[in-house]
Amino acid sequence: MRFPNTSLWWRLSWQLSLLFVVITGLVIVGLCIYGAMILSPNVGLEHRLLNALKGSLSYEPGRGLRIKDSEQLTALKNDNANLFFYAAAPDGTAVAYGNIPPPYMQLARFVPLIKDADIRGTLASSPEPASVDDIEIDTTEIRVLYGGRNGSESTFLTMLGGTYPIYVPLLAVTLPALFFAVPRLVRRSLSGLSDVVRKAPEIDPRQPGSRLPVDRVPSEVVPLIHAFNSVLERLEQQFAARERFLIDAAHELRTPIAVMQTRIDTTLEGSTRETMMDDIGRLRETAEQLLDFERSEQSPEPYEQADLVGVARNVVADQAPLAIRNGYEISFDSEVDELYRLVSPSAMSRAIGNLVRNAIDHGGNSGMISVRVSERGGISVSDEGPGIPAAHRDLVFEPFYRVTPRSTGAGLGLSIVKQIVSRHRGSITLEGNPTGTTVIIRL
């Protein structure tokens, strides 16, 4: 049977409950079948006959036992053509009905001495089974020998109907308890899986040793968790190899970049020298961004209570010469004098610095670059450049994505900012229009 994507707890709970109900039903049916096999075949006839006799027999001391046909007795006789019975009173009077087999007529005088008997012969020639039961007529106990059942009275159904006072209260008590107990037992058995579910979203392949726990987990699920953990281990190895490669590449680029910068500075002059120095500067910045990107991924800096106003102000002071040299005005404003947050000061400084440099690179070399700190922890950097088209605003935070293919940047600046802000559990949004772009960090 195939199941939809429902809760494992729910599926196990209702399946176990249904299994219990089925087993209980089979036990009840089995007991009734067993009872029908070992009890007298006249069990099915007993109830109808004794009820019919209550309306057909009468007893008066001194006058003896009498019988008359009643509707119930006539209906019973019509259903059982061979019906017979012999009823005896304590005073020795008796009445007979139907064709009583000769062996039972020989037992007739002993009927007052027999209580609750089942008479069955062992020979093939033995008469059909008979039974002896008690019935109270006019406050007098009458012993009745009867038989002649034709098979229409089902012993099994009689057993099933006669024992309902036992199994109905039992089911009424156990089934509600079962439906409450099974889900709790299943939930406790699956509590280890709940720990795995809570832990799974926290797994980061870039953090060594991140694994799903196997404690208190059902043994059937343990191989799956081990397989998942082995995948995490391979991912860690691949991430580590990539990180080592990028960091080594960034380090290796530093030396030839520095050598090239020195040679250009000492050998070239004029506009060619300035153009080459700008190109080398962008190459050096790209290498530093790659190094910064991977360094932040591998080992985030420790957090401390830092003044965001002071951090932003220092970034503006550091970037002001570069902004002015590229034709901008730059300003800093804050709604509060101090604003402390639990952050990494160096990481936040790099994030704000990247936003300012991004504004310098893409602001059109004119207008105002504004850095502003709000009292609620928002840091915004605005420029008056051409803006970013709406179709690109969700993509500019992806590594190496550039709005225009001919852009001189590497497409890492905003990606690094998003990475840093995410590690601080903050958010970053971009607002663009034809007259400028504003990037807002909220912590």
Side-chain angles (χ1 to χ4, degrees):
M1 179 177 182
R2 299 184 64 182
F3 294 92
N5 293 327
T6 56
S7 166
L8 178 61
W9 167 82
W10 168 250
R11 285 159 54 182
L12 289 177
S13 297
W14 80 260
Q15 287 182 64
L16 289 175
S17 301
L18 180 62
L19 178 63
F20 177 84
V21 172
V22 172
I23 291 176
T24 303
L26 291 177
V27 169
I28 294 173
V29 171
L31 289 176
C32 291
I33 293 175
Y34 177 72
M37 293 173 61
I38 65 173
L39 294 179
S40 171
N42 291 322
V43 169
L45 179 63
E46 174 187 352
H47 180 71
R48 289 188 64 189
L49 176 62
L50 296 183
N51 281 338
L53 292 181
K54 286 182 180 181
S56 302
L57 291 179
S58 63
Y59 175 76
E60 294 182 14
R63 299 183 64 181
L65 192 63
R66 296 181 180 182
I67 184 172
K68 64 177 181 178
D69 283 332
S70 64
E71 292 183 4
Q72 286 181 308
L73 185 58
T74 301
L76 184 61
K77 177 67 175 179
N78 292 334
D79 293 338
N80 299 271
N82 298 323
L83 177 68
F84 68 86
F85 64 83
Y86 179 88
D91 61 2
T93 60
V95 294
Y97 184 89
N99 186 19
I100 301 177
Y104 296 147
M105 286 301 300
Q106 297 177 14
L107 293 174
R109 60 194 181 95
F110 299 106
V111 169
L113 303 177
I114 302 174
K115 183 177 177 68
D116 296 332
D118 180 20
I119 306 171
R120 280 184 267 183
T122 58
L123 301 177
S125 59
S126 299
E128 55 189 293
S131 301
V132 178
D133 280 299
D134 296 336
I135 182 174
E136 188 174 300
I137 303 295
D138 298 328
T139 69
T140 301
E141 184 180 275
I142 307 298
R143 300 285 171 84
V144 182
L145 169 70
Y146 62 91
R149 165 183 179 274
N150 69 355
S152 62
E153 304 291 342
S154 172
T155 305
F156 168 75
L157 294 179
T158 302
M159 289 288 299
L160 189 63
T163 55
Y164 79 90
I166 299 175
Y167 62 78
V168 169
L170 177 63
L171 292 176
V173 172
T174 57
L175 289 183
L178 174 74
F179 291 138
F180 282 105
V182 168
R184 293 178 62 87
L185 293 175
V186 173
R187 183 180 291 110
R188 291 189 61 182
S189 300
L190 298 179
S191 60
L193 282 180
S194 300
D195 296 338
V196 173
V197 172
R198 286 192 296 269
K199 178 69 175 177
E202 302 174 2
I203 294 294
D204 186 353
R206 293 167 296 189
Q207 297 296 322
S210 297
R211 298 291 184 273
L212 291 178
V214 294
D215 300 334
R216 301 187 304 114
V217 173
S219 58
E220 294 80 2
V221 185
V222 170
L224 176 62
I225 297 179
H226 283 317
F228 184 81
N229 287 338
S230 66
V231 172
L232 287 177
E233 184 175 359
R234 291 195 296 272
L235 285 175
E236 282 184 8
Q237 295 171 355
Q238 293 175 4
F239 271 112
R242 190 205 69 170
E243 290 165 355
R244 286 193 301 269
F245 170 76
L246 290 177
I247 290 178
D248 292 344
H251 277 295
E252 290 297 324
L253 284 173
R254 282 179 167 178
T255 300
I257 289 173
V259 172
M260 289 174 61
Q261 186 174 16
T262 301
R263 290 178 178 175
I264 292 172
D265 191 35
T266 57
T267 60
L268 297 180
E269 295 181 357
S271 60
T272 303
R273 176 180 176 277
E274 293 180 1
T275 301
M276 293 295 291
M277 290 297 287
D278 289 340
D279 293 340
I280 290 298
R282 284 193 293 270
L283 183 59
R284 183 179 64 250
E285 182 179 1
T286 299
E288 290 295 335
Q289 285 182 332
L290 281 172
L291 186 60
D292 188 26
F293 187 86
E294 290 304 319
R295 186 189 297 116
S296 179
E297 284 282 335
Q298 284 194 9
S299 55
E301 296 88 344
Y303 291 0
E304 62 182 68
Q305 289 291 338
D307 179 18
L308 294 182
V309 176
V311 172
R313 182 184 290 113
N314 291 336
V315 170
V316 172
D318 292 340
Q319 298 293 330
L322 179 61
I324 294 171
R325 186 166 62 247
N326 282 272
Y328 299 96
E329 296 181 23
I330 188 167
S331 68
F332 173 76
D333 181 42
S334 176
E335 296 179 355
V336 291
D337 294 333
E338 294 180 339
L339 183 64
Y340 283 89
R341 290 288 188 272
L342 185 63
V343 298
S344 167
S346 60
M348 289 308 303
S349 179
R350 292 199 304 274
I352 300 171
N354 277 333
L355 291 182
V356 174
R357 285 194 295 273
N358 192 73
I360 293 173
D361 291 340
H362 303 285
N365 298 101
S366 64
M368 176 69 71
I369 295 177
S370 303
V371 179
R372 190 170 183 271
V373 180
S374 69
E375 61 181 353
R376 294 187 176 181
I379 304 172
S380 62
V381 178
S382 305
D383 62 57
E384 298 178 355
I388 298 177
H392 296 273
R393 291 173 191 169
D394 293 333
L395 301 173
V396 294
F397 295 104
E398 297 298 325
F400 304 106
Y401 184 84
R402 293 180 291 185
V403 175
T404 58
R406 295 183 180 181
S407 174
T408 57
L412 285 172
L414 291 179
S415 178
I416 293 174
V417 175
K418 183 178 180 180
Q419 181 190 73
I420 293 172
V421 172
S422 297
R423 289 190 178 276
H424 286 79
R425 299 185 183 276
S427 64
I428 181 170
T429 57
L430 188 148
E431 300 174 0
N433 55 70
T435 60
T437 302
T438 300
V439 183
I440 304 173
I441 296 174
R442 293 182 176 88
L443 299 176

